[in-house]
Amino acid sequence: MDSSEGAKSWSRGHLEPVAGCPACGSKIASQATFFRRDNEGAMPDQWRMVQCADCKSIWLDPRPDAPSLPRAYDSYFTHNTESDDMPRTGANGFAWKLIHGYLNRRFGMHRQPASSWGYVIFSLIEPWRLKLDYYGRHLTRGRIGEPGRLLDIGCGNGAFLARAANMGWQVQGCEIDPKAVTACRNIGIDVIEGDAFAPQLTGQTFDVITMSHVIEHVHDQPALLQRAYELLRPGGWFWLACPNPHSVGLSLSGTAWHALHPPYHLCIPSQTILISWLKKKGFFDIRPLRRGSHVRNVWRISQSIAQRESIPLPSPGHLLFWRLIADGLATITPGRAEETVLLARKPE
């Protein structure tokens, strides 16, 4: 059945209505409404996503109910067993020697081949420096200190945990998708099959907790942030990334915006809402981080969706112009990037 407004079921289960904005509780009429299928066109369902007129968060209405939501993940991309996003060819070239040199100096990695000139060069090129810092989830020795225990909530296929282990962290992950858990274990990653509330985590504490593109997938987002706070040791750091509903990409692509990602993204909270939630949970020193150069590949996904779903987009020339603008804005401010990236601390 069509899963648009008024429907009670979708191709893999039942739906539940969402009466108001899950982020701020507003009942005011939406600012914008988007209708389309999932990003890959793997399911027949048409989904409806709504942007809040008050806080600008975006949510799915109606959405899969809790029993049927896991069925959407039967073929999710985190099942990949590739342990990192290194290129399949050319990883020994001069450019990668420079990148490795930067990562080794900045994050304590041990990647080879490497050139020490990489740190000098990328430190001078701000859009690329910020992109590489995001790759290491901003866990620099100067800011975070010496590596300790790290938990990645919703660790997917373990790509970041393998990276963090190379940085010297004692890593652990939790992941609800059993196929992704298998992918992690195949590369030797310590992972719990379950979410952040898994009983195996009770009584444990971590120096750093990271959560990349997880919060938009869950029903009770404040509860997840509370759990992360509880699992952090006093003085520990929390790193979070999720799509940004204030992005240039959404303004240009509209319904084709890749990060709408129905039915997986239940609610995409705005930066203002996320910061408010973190403060209420007890976090302090909350820092929105600049993203740097990053839009090229994700905008290609939006273009592919637009082509498949016959959604109009600006011309290629206009998209190139706005891509340069978007990367420039993401270099000078965190407000218009494709992603919200936040770093926060738990008090000592």
Side-chain angles (χ1 to χ4, degrees), residues 235-300:
W237 290 87
F238 177 57
W239 183 97
L240 176 148
C242 68
N244 177 17
H246 288 278
S247 72
V248 175
L250 176 61
S251 299
L252 281 177
S253 303
T255 301
W257 189 46
H258 73 286
L260 292 177
H261 203 18
Y264 305 99
H265 289 180
L266 305 181
C267 177
I268 304 171
S270 66
Q271 291 182 8
T272 301
I273 287 292
L274 279 169
I275 291 170
S276 173
W277 283 343
L278 289 170
K279 287 179 178 177
K280 288 177 181 178
K281 299 307 174 188
F283 288 98
F284 82 112
D285 195 15
I286 302 167
R287 310 178 190 184
L289 301 175
R290 293 174 292 147
R291 183 63 174 82
S293 176
H294 70 296
V295 306
R296 181 178 182 179
N297 289 335
V298 292
W299 281 20
R300 283 178 175 171

Side-chain angles (χ1 to χ4, degrees), residues 102 105 116-125:
Y102 180 88
R105 172 78 178 275
S116 59
W117 281 102
Y119 182 79
V120 176
I121 292 171
F122 286 114
S123 293
L124 297 173
I125 306 174

Side-chain angles (χ1 to χ4, degrees), residues 52 99 308 327:
C52 180
I99 291 171
R308 190 192 68 233
D327 275 340

Side-chain angles (χ1 to χ4, degrees), residues 187-209:
I187 59 172
I189 297 295
D190 179 14
V191 60
I192 294 167
E193 185 175 334
D195 60 17
F197 299 90
Q200 298 97 312
L201 290 172
T202 301
Q204 296 196 54
T205 59
F206 298 87
D207 300 286
V208 166
I209 293 176

Side-chain angles (χ1 to χ4, degrees), residues 13-321:
H14 295 289
L15 294 167
E16 60 185 20
V18 185
C21 176
C24 73
S26 174
K27 306 293 184 181
I28 298 174
S30 63
Q31 172 177 301
T33 304
F34 311 95
F35 291 91
R36 71 166 168 87
R37 292 190 298 162
D38 62 282
N39 282 13
E40 291 75 32
M43 293 172 272
D45 312 276
Q46 287 283 338
W47 299 98
R48 175 179 182 260
M49 299 199 77
V50 179
Q51 185 162 32
C52 180
D54 281 348
C55 73
K56 305 302 184 286
S57 300
I58 297 174
W59 75 92
L60 185 65
D61 178 34
R63 66 188 184 187
D65 62 7
S68 68
L69 181 60
R71 297 171 199 148
Y73 291 86
D74 287 345
S75 56
Y76 202 56
F77 68 91
T78 55
H79 298 170
N80 265 324
T81 56
E82 189 174 4
S83 63
D84 207 343
D85 52 5
M86 295 284 288
R88 296 183 183 277
T89 60
N92 293 323
F94 180 67
W96 279 98
K97 288 182 181 179
L98 296 176
I99 291 171
H100 292 165
Y102 180 88
L103 295 173
N104 291 349
R105 172 78 178 275
R106 186 79 162 151
F107 295 101
M109 293 187 181
H110 305 280
R111 294 195 165 184
Q112 296 297 330
S115 168
S116 59
W117 281 102
Y119 182 79
V120 176
I121 292 171
F122 286 114
S123 293
L124 297 173
I125 306 174
E126 190 76 347
W128 294 355
R129 180 187 73 79
L130 293 169
K131 182 175 184 176
L132 290 173
D133 282 354
Y134 173 86
Y135 182 74
R137 297 196 180 174
H138 303 91
L139 304 181
T140 59
R141 299 292 176 89
R143 172 182 283 153
I144 306 299
E146 290 300 310
R149 298 193 71 213
L150 181 147
L151 173 68
D152 189 23
I153 296 174
C155 62
N157 65 6
F160 171 70
L161 287 175
R163 197 179 310 155
N166 186 252
M167 293 159 58
W169 291 90
Q170 180 185 341
V171 301
Q172 187 170 11
C174 59
E175 171 60 52
I176 63 171
D177 183 344
K179 294 181 181 178
V181 168
T182 298
C184 288
R185 290 173 177 167
N186 285 342
I187 59 172
I189 297 295
D190 179 14
V191 60
I192 294 167
E193 185 175 334
D195 60 17
F197 299 90
Q200 298 97 312
L201 290 172
T202 301
Q204 296 196 54
T205 59
F206 298 87
D207 300 286
V208 166
I209 293 176
T210 65
M211 201 162 67
S212 178
H213 290 264
V214 172
I215 198 165
E216 65 270 27
H217 293 254
V218 303
H219 285 83
D220 191 341
Q221 297 167 317
L224 179 58
L225 295 178
Q226 179 66 44
R227 179 60 167 168
Y229 185 87
E230 293 166 355
L231 290 170
L232 271 178
R233 68 160 177 80
W237 290 87
F238 177 57
W239 183 97
L240 176 148
C242 68
N244 177 17
H246 288 278
S247 72
V248 175
L250 176 61
S251 299
L252 281 177
S253 303
T255 301
W257 189 46
H258 73 286
L260 292 177
H261 203 18
Y264 305 99
H265 289 180
L266 305 181
C267 177
I268 304 171
S270 66
Q271 291 182 8
T272 301
I273 287 292
L274 279 169
I275 291 170
S276 173
W277 283 343
L278 289 170
K279 287 179 178 177
K280 288 177 181 178
K281 299 307 174 188
F283 288 98
F284 82 112
D285 195 15
I286 302 167
R287 310 178 190 184
L289 301 175
R290 293 174 292 147
R291 183 63 174 82
S293 176
H294 70 296
V295 306
R296 181 178 182 179
N297 289 335
V298 292
W299 281 20
R300 283 178 175 171
I301 299 172
S302 299
Q303 289 175 273
S304 175
I305 293 167
Q307 184 176 21
R308 190 192 68 233
E309 301 292 326
S310 300
I311 300 169
L313 284 183
S315 68
H318 278 83
L319 285 174
L320 174 60
F321 170 78

